[in-house]
Amino acid sequence: MKIAFYFDNRHLGRWNWDSFVAGELPASGTDGQFLGLYHRMSLRGGVEAMGLFGGGLPDKVPGDAVAVDGLAEAAGRARAGGAALILFNHRDREETERGLKRCEELGVPAVLWDQNGPFPEARDALAAAGALRRLVVVSHSHADTLRGHALSGKTCVIYNSLLFDSGGEVARAARAERVCFLGATISQKGFHHLVKAWPAVRRARPTAELIVIGSSRLYGVDRPLGPLGLSDPEFESEHVVPHWGPSMTDLERLGVRLKGLMAPVALRRVLRDCAVAVVNPCVRNGSYETFCVSAIEAQAAGCAVVGGRRLGLRETVRHGQTGVLIKRESDLAPAIIGLLNDPGRARAMGAAGSRWVREAFAAERADALWLELFQEVMGGKPNRPPRIKWRLMTPGVALRMLRGAIQGAR
């Protein structure tokens, strides 16, 4: 079967395909997952992966990949090239709607892989789009955000995968006092909550170190940075300077070291020296995680993970077993301190997480589900919406389901 993969890479600037395959290219979870699936499918027997790149081709891209000017042109290329369907990420609402309209005109079935949405204003159009055969989301909690809407009938769940896995990690003695933050250094990822919490951690553990891995440029190579090189100038001025100070010397006094964006291979080496990894700690303020690739990367390296007890993180971290999921942002400092005060517990969580994520989020498991989905779409089979996971049910989900049932009965 021939599958077209459309990926808009304008935000990455100039990059090298071989670097990505080798784990030497910093990339967001959304980008890494899509490119990883395309790469694996291009190597699989019985599958012909057709690469369609918006914004120009990366250097040394394999096979017969071509550059296209948007999703609508990609649909035409997929049709002309004999692809059975086209898979793409949802980035721009207008481009998605134009592209799906073109898919409908050409008779090209479409599969939309949406890591973070779709947001409410886009849902009606996606539900009505005849060419859209499947909406792939990345957790059952993610799928629950769509319950009660017609789009839920097109939705299926495929977990993200652990990429660039180097095998079991050996805990190092040096990691006992080291904490890292992993993710974009922006408010939507809760970095400001960690900035505020860290001075309290240092008062309780004066020798603790914080390694910050990430940058606001994770989502755009041209984003402006403030004097500290962490995030945009306004964010640094409002959220960082009041708690950490305005200079690198101030950060050093607090035991803070900035690593910026890191490629997966280098990331693993740093994570192996950390006892605790903080991922998005937002609970009520900031965005929620539909999955959180950073969480499984940190667990694979043997870190105990601290994050917000909200949506997808409830599925990618086992609370109390592989990490701690907080109910309030004010719980962040106590959670970190608790793990640093009990290194045996942190090590046990790290070891359990390392074993668990390699099984639960193995690429082979995800690929089997993707191949099944491709076959179903090609065969015109109706979708089987994901079953309700009652342990993940929230009052908001129950209310949406009730509203949907009432509207459907009218």
Side-chain angles (χ1 to χ4, degrees):
M1 57 180 166
K2 189 170 188 178
I3 308 298
F5 291 77
Y6 169 65
F7 180 75
D8 189 336
N9 69 161
R10 291 177 176 86
H11 61 292
L12 294 179
R14 186 164 184 175
W15 60 286
N16 184 292
W17 178 260
D18 289 346
S19 295
F20 169 76
V21 173
E24 298 171 351
L25 177 74
S28 69
T30 296
D31 292 343
Q33 292 296 316
F34 192 94
L35 294 173
L37 179 64
Y38 168 54
H39 173 62
R40 296 193 304 274
M41 289 297 161
S42 69
L43 301 177
R44 179 177 288 272
V47 178
E48 185 178 352
M50 180 182 185
L52 303 167
F53 287 83
L57 293 176
D59 295 336
K60 298 185 179 180
V61 67
D64 58 353
V66 296
V68 295
D69 184 20
L71 179 57
E73 183 180 340
R77 291 274 191 165
R79 173 65 174 169
L85 60 88
I86 185 170
L87 171 68
F88 66 99
N89 275 335
H90 182 54
R91 294 189 185 275
D92 179 85
R93 176 185 172 185
E94 292 184 0
E95 182 187 9
T96 292
E97 292 181 7
R98 287 195 304 269
L100 286 174
K101 182 179 180 181
R102 186 60 176 156
C103 286
E104 182 72 14
E105 293 169 351
L106 296 172
V108 178
V111 176
L112 171 56
W113 190 2
D114 199 331
Q115 294 272 349
N116 300 299
F119 297 108
E121 57 269 20
R123 293 174 184 174
D124 289 346
L126 293 176
L132 182 61
R133 306 300 169 81
R134 297 289 190 278
L135 170 69
V136 179
V137 298
V138 292
S139 67
H140 293 278
S141 298
H142 190 182
D144 284 345
T145 65
L146 299 170
R147 293 196 186 277
H149 192 280
L151 186 56
S152 183
K154 296 183 178 183
T155 301
C156 59
V157 175
I158 300 180
Y159 281 138
N160 286 322
S161 304
L162 179 62
L163 304 177
F164 310 109
D165 183 18
S166 61
E169 304 294 347
V170 178
R172 301 184 184 184
R175 74 183 348 175
E177 288 289 316
R178 290 205 179 112
V179 179
C180 71
F181 174 83
L182 186 56
T185 49
I186 57 178
S187 58
Q188 292 92 328
K189 294 295 183 179
F191 182 63
H192 58 308
H193 296 307
L194 178 59
V195 172
K196 183 178 180 181
W198 185 249
V201 176
R202 280 281 289 193
R203 287 193 294 271
R205 304 286 300 190
T207 58
E209 298 176 79
L210 174 62
I211 299 174
V212 180
I213 306 171
S215 167
S216 60
R217 287 184 171 174
L218 188 64
Y219 302 116
V221 294
D222 296 324
R223 286 193 175 193
L225 297 177
L228 296 174
L230 270 168
S231 192
D232 67 80
E234 183 179 357
F235 180 91
E236 288 190 8
S237 174
E238 182 176 348
H239 295 292
V240 180
V241 171
H243 301 287
W244 287 4
S247 71
M248 296 303 296
T249 302
D250 294 320
L251 270 61
E252 289 171 3
R253 292 195 190 102
L254 286 171
V256 177
R257 287 191 286 154
L258 308 182
K259 291 289 188 178
L261 293 179
M262 297 191 75
V265 171
L267 173 64
R268 285 201 307 266
R269 292 195 292 267
V270 175
L271 288 174
R272 286 200 301 265
D273 285 337
C274 297
V276 179
V278 178
V279 298
N280 191 340
C282 291
V283 181
R284 294 176 177 83
N285 300 309
S287 68
Y288 56 78
E289 293 290 337
T290 55
F291 182 88
C292 194
V293 171
S294 294
I296 65 171
E297 291 175 336
Q299 288 171 99
C303 298
V305 169
V306 177
R309 195 169 187 175
R310 191 180 184 195
L311 272 90
L313 274 168
R314 299 176 301 157
E315 297 175 59
T316 53
V317 176
R318 288 183 164 179
H319 176 64
Q321 298 177 44
T322 68
V324 177
L325 298 179
I326 59 175
K327 293 183 178 180
R328 296 172 295 274
E329 284 88 359
S330 59
D331 293 336
L332 180 56
I336 297 171
I337 294 167
L339 288 170
L340 294 179
N341 285 340
D342 192 349
R345 181 181 178 222
R347 284 195 299 271
M349 285 183 169
S354 183
R355 293 190 299 269
W356 175 60
V357 297
R358 285 185 167 81
E359 176 184 350
F361 306 110
E364 294 80 4
R365 295 184 67 165
D367 289 353
L369 294 174
W370 278 109
L371 290 168
E372 182 181 1
L373 181 150
F374 294 153
Q375 294 284 1
E376 288 182 354
V377 171
M378 290 167 55
K381 292 185 179 180
N383 184 44
R384 295 165 293 175
R387 295 180 179 179
I388 297 173
K389 301 284 186 179
W390 293 107
R391 70 178 181 85
L392 301 172
M393 182 64 66
T394 65
V397 172
L399 181 60
R400 283 194 297 272
M401 292 175 62
L402 178 60
R403 288 173 176 169
I406 293 173
Q407 291 174 355
R410 290 175 178 172

